[in-house]
Amino acid sequence: VVENLVLNSALHAMQLATDDASLESTNFDGLLSKSYGLLSNLFGSVPREGTTLPTWTQKPHVLLEVMKLMLAAVYGAPSGGQAVRVATDVSRLWEAFTQGGTRLVARSAGRQNLATYQARIQRSTKGFTIMLIAHAIDQQRQWAGVEAAVQRCLQRFDLEQERRQEELHKWKDVTSILQTGMTSLLVSLEGSDHLKQCLYVSLREPLNTMFKELNENYQDRWKYKGTA
């Protein structure tokens, strides 16, 4: 019951945060922080061992909806600085979702050889990871890019062009943070090529090509090959 209340509260906060009125107000940061805090506590409360899986594994679609809205908030953020903070938060939530808990929980379980429970959670949510990847790719496709984001922020607050370089730097950071976050999603699919194939065939152009390039980049840059 408590977990359901937390999930619904986080979802409600994100729905308010991504409302057009909130994007223009100081409510944006507060609502995003509330939603992230609720989900972070939810993942952090996962025990190192147990017999019953957390309630949120039975309703992962609610979690996915919150994270999808949070990613949309990144691209619609009022400023580059706010976008960086939200991108960092959503990347951490992606990782916690795929690991079956926060990094601290996962490491603690690993040190005490209690990783079996963690693995059960991971197996229960793995099939939903491809939905996060599909949504992330689609959001990336719809985004007009760094230059357009910078111009939008400068116009929204009637900022001087001197702020342009600062905004440009922040939005470039956003793309880097999200790329790293998506790598954690791909890492969680190691050994599950059938899920990657399901995702690939379910996507239409140009999304399937974007996914293919994303996966190839992961294989080339991040996956250990036994060579320097």
Side-chain angles (χ1 to χ4, degrees):
V1 176
V2 174
E3 287 191 3
N4 287 334
L5 288 174
V6 170
L7 285 173
N8 289 330
S9 295
L11 179 59
H12 181 61
M14 280 310 310
Q15 289 170 336
L16 291 175
T18 50
D19 180 82
D20 289 340
S22 292
L23 289 174
E24 299 289 347
S25 73
T26 56
N27 290 337
F28 183 82
D29 283 333
L31 290 168
L32 265 294
S33 295
K34 176 183 178 181
S35 186
Y36 172 73
L38 288 169
L39 292 195
S40 183
N41 289 336
L42 192 68
F43 288 129
S45 65
V46 174
R48 290 173 297 178
E49 60 178 329
T51 55
T52 304
L53 296 183
T55 304
W56 55 263
T57 62
Q58 301 168 20
K59 295 184 177 180
H61 59 282
V62 180
L63 266 175
L64 262 62
E65 185 62 24
V66 175
M67 289 187 282
K68 286 178 179 180
L69 287 171
M70 190 171 288
L71 180 59
V74 172
Y75 291 117
S79 72
Q82 289 166 300
V84 166
R85 289 193 292 274
V86 183
T88 301
D89 287 347
V90 74
S91 294
R92 288 172 177 167
L93 292 178
W94 281 345
E95 183 180 47
F97 178 75
T98 58
Q99 287 189 345
T102 62
R103 187 179 301 181
L104 183 62
V105 170
R107 286 179 176 174
S108 177
R111 284 196 301 268
Q112 299 188 32
N113 296 319
L114 300 173
T116 302
Y117 181 67
Q118 220 74 34
R120 287 177 58 204
I121 300 176
Q122 292 167 8
R123 285 195 298 270
S124 72
T125 59
K126 182 173 289 190
F128 295 92
T129 299
I130 59 175
M131 298 181 185
L132 290 175
I133 295 175
H135 178 260
I137 293 173
D138 188 46
Q139 287 290 299
Q140 184 181 7
R141 178 187 64 83
Q142 295 182 50
W143 190 44
V146 169
E147 288 290 343
V150 170
Q151 195 60 33
R152 173 177 59 81
C153 292
L154 293 176
Q155 291 176 349
R156 173 172 286 170
F157 295 104
D158 194 25
L159 298 174
E160 298 293 333
Q161 285 298 316
E162 286 74 11
R163 289 282 303 277
R164 176 178 173 78
Q165 288 304 314
E166 180 183 347
E167 283 293 316
L168 186 65
H169 177 72
K170 293 294 185 182
W171 281 103
K172 286 182 177 179
D173 284 347
V174 168
T175 60
S176 178
I177 291 167
L178 291 178
Q179 183 178 40
T180 301
M182 290 184 71
T183 298
S184 71
L185 296 178
L186 289 171
V187 168
S188 72
L189 294 179
E190 279 298 308
S192 300
D193 288 345
H194 63 290
L195 290 177
K196 291 184 181 181
Q197 183 63 22
C198 286
L199 175 57
Y200 179 78
V201 299
S202 68
L203 296 173
R204 296 181 178 180
E205 285 289 358
L207 298 182
N208 53 6
T209 297
M210 291 174 67
F211 171 66
K212 182 179 180 181
E213 292 174 351
L214 175 70
N215 188 54
E216 288 176 348
N217 180 63
Y218 161 69
Q219 297 290 335
D220 291 340
R221 296 185 58 188
W222 300 97
K223 190 173 180 181
Y224 178 65
K225 299 182 177 65
T227 58

